[in-house]
């Protein structure tokens, strides 16, 4: 698209953010991109994509607020839970709305389906599937849920009417990223990392708990579609909860994933047995996202034309193993 606008991006060195950046640069080659980068060592890789780099961290709230106020669009793929950071973003966008009212500022914020997590015991507990096209489902999410305090603040800003905020909540993301720095995900890859450290694959509880997964390129495309919608001027929604999107694909039981990873890692000779060991989450807290249930359906995204075109999670597991082994060798 040939639209010209300015965009401030947080989280470009991360797995999701880097891939979303590449997607949006492709869609909007004439836009002016500025990114917040904490580590000076990462600056060159981001600049190579044609992005202006601002050196700073999420703790530099005045800086974040300034650049949010200087741009038409803010994309936050950096932190879903940092309340002061997100307040600074909102304050900057609201300032821009007041000083440049000709164009309503846009926020695309990254939340997550961790909003729906329940007991962390690896057992199936959830018959409920949350539909982003059902406002009662989204409004009914617990106030003490992960990410929820920030999401509620963003909904409130949308209701106030100065800015147009959108929220995308990805499920368990998988596949190789396309960003400039980090390109491996969390849930599957941490399961592999823990197995390499312990020389055994572990799973929390019986592994009957269920999550959705989403391929990284499909998720990046959803961000593009939502930004297309936001910039089009055709979004006539009046309730900010109508601008909430799950980034969710097929469902998987974590025990099935654990068994397949154990088989693959045992075949590579890096663990002692192909039978996963059952543990409690307290033993490996890093596996928390694999211990609960989180079930959602992305009907609002589908209405935008979003399609799942990437491979299913199980087809990518052999590659996830090889990528994570290569990462471990590089760090050794």
């Amino acid at each position: 698209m040939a639209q010209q606008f300015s965009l401030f991006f947080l989280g470009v060195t991360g797995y999701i953010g880097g891939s979303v950046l590449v997607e949006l640069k492709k869609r909007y080659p004439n836009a002016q991109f500025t990114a917040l980068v904490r580590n000076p060592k990462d600056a060159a890789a981001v600049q190579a994509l044609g992005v202006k780099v601002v050196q700073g961290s999420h703790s530099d709230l005045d800086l974040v607020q300034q650049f949010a106020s200087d741009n038409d669009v803010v994309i936050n793929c950096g932190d879903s839970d940092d309340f002061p950071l997100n307040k600074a973003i909102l304050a900057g966008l609201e300032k821009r709305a007041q000083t440049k009212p000709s164009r309503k500022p846009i926020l695309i914020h990254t939340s997550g389906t961790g909003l729906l997590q329940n007991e962390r015991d690896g057992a199936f507990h959830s018959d409920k599937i949350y539909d982003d096209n059902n406002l009662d489902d989204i409004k009914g999410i617990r106030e003490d849920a992960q990410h929820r305090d920030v999401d509620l603040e963003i909904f409130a800003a949308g209701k106030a009417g100065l800015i147009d905020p959108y929220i995308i909540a990805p499920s368990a993301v998988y596949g190789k990223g396309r960003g400039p720095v980090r390109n491996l995900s969390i849930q599957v890859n941490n399961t592999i990392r823990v197995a390499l450290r312990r020389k055994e694959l572990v799973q929390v509880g019986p592994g009957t708990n269920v999550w959705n997964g989403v391929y990284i390129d499909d998720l990046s495309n959803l961000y593009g579609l939502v930004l297309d919608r936001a910039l089009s001027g055709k979004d006539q929604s009046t309730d900010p909860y109508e601008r909430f999107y799950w980034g969710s694909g097929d469902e998987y039981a974590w025990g099935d994933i654990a068994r397949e990873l154990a088989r693959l890692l045992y075949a590579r000779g890096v663990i002692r047995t192909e039978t996963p060991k059952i543990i409690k989450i307290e033993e490996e807290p890093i596996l928390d996202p694999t211990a609960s249930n989180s079930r959602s359906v992305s009907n609002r995204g589908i209405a935008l034309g979003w399609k799942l075109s990437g491979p299913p999670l199980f087809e990518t597991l052999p590659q996830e193993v090889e990528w994570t082994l290569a990462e471990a060798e590089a760090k050794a």
Side-chain angles (χ1 to χ4, degrees), residues 164-210:
D164 283 339
Y166 294 76
I167 297 175
I168 297 175
S171 54
V173 192
Y174 63 91
K176 191 71 170 286
R178 292 184 290 151
V181 182
R182 295 173 186 84
N183 284 305
L184 294 185
S185 189
I186 297 175
Q187 287 98 328
V188 169
N189 304 91
N190 276 347
T191 301
I192 298 169
R193 293 177 187 117
V194 170
L196 296 178
R197 170 168 53 80
R198 297 175 57 120
K199 306 301 180 187
E200 61 182 354
L201 196 293
V202 297
Q203 71 180 51
V204 178
T208 51
N209 56 309
V210 172

Side-chain angles (χ1 to χ4, degrees), residues 9 15 73 76 80 84 130 144 147-148 150 165 214 242 245 248 275 282 287 317 323:
F9 207 121
Y15 171 62
V73 178
N76 181 14
S80 304
Y130 285 77
D144 64 346
H147 315 315
R148 189 60 167 174
V150 172
V214 62
E242 294 179 282
Y245 295 82
S248 301
T275 302
E282 291 78 11
L287 298 181
L317 291 182
W323 294 330

Side-chain angles (χ1 to χ4, degrees), residues 65 68-71 74 86-101 104-107 153-165:
Q65 183 171 332
S69 69
D70 288 344
N71 287 270
V74 173
N86 286 284
K87 284 283 286 184
I89 292 170
L90 292 172
L93 288 171
E94 288 168 352
K95 179 180 178 182
R96 184 172 185 84
Q98 293 164 342
T99 57
K100 293 192 175 183
K104 206 171 184 181
I106 294 166
L107 168 65
E153 194 72 14
I154 292 170
F155 289 134
K159 187 173 182 179
L162 287 175
I163 69 173
D164 283 339

Side-chain angles (χ1 to χ4, degrees), residues 24-96:
L24 298 186
K25 283 288 292 181
K26 180 180 70 175
R27 283 175 179 262
Y28 292 100
N30 295 320
Q32 298 174 2
F33 283 74
T34 301
L36 184 72
V37 176
R38 180 183 59 83
N39 192 335
K41 294 180 180 179
D42 295 332
V46 177
Q47 290 168 331
L49 297 175
V51 177
K52 177 184 175 182
V53 166
V54 175
Q55 199 73 47
S57 74
H58 293 171
S59 299
D60 296 321
L61 300 180
D62 289 342
L63 182 69
V64 169
Q65 183 171 332
Q66 173 196 330
F67 277 90
S69 69
D70 288 344
N71 287 270
D72 301 310
V73 178
V74 173
I75 308 287
N76 181 14
C77 292
D79 198 314
S80 304
D81 300 311
D82 188 329
F83 196 84
L85 169 69
N86 286 284
K87 284 283 286 184
I89 292 170
L90 292 172
L93 288 171
E94 288 168 352
K95 179 180 178 182
R96 184 172 185 84

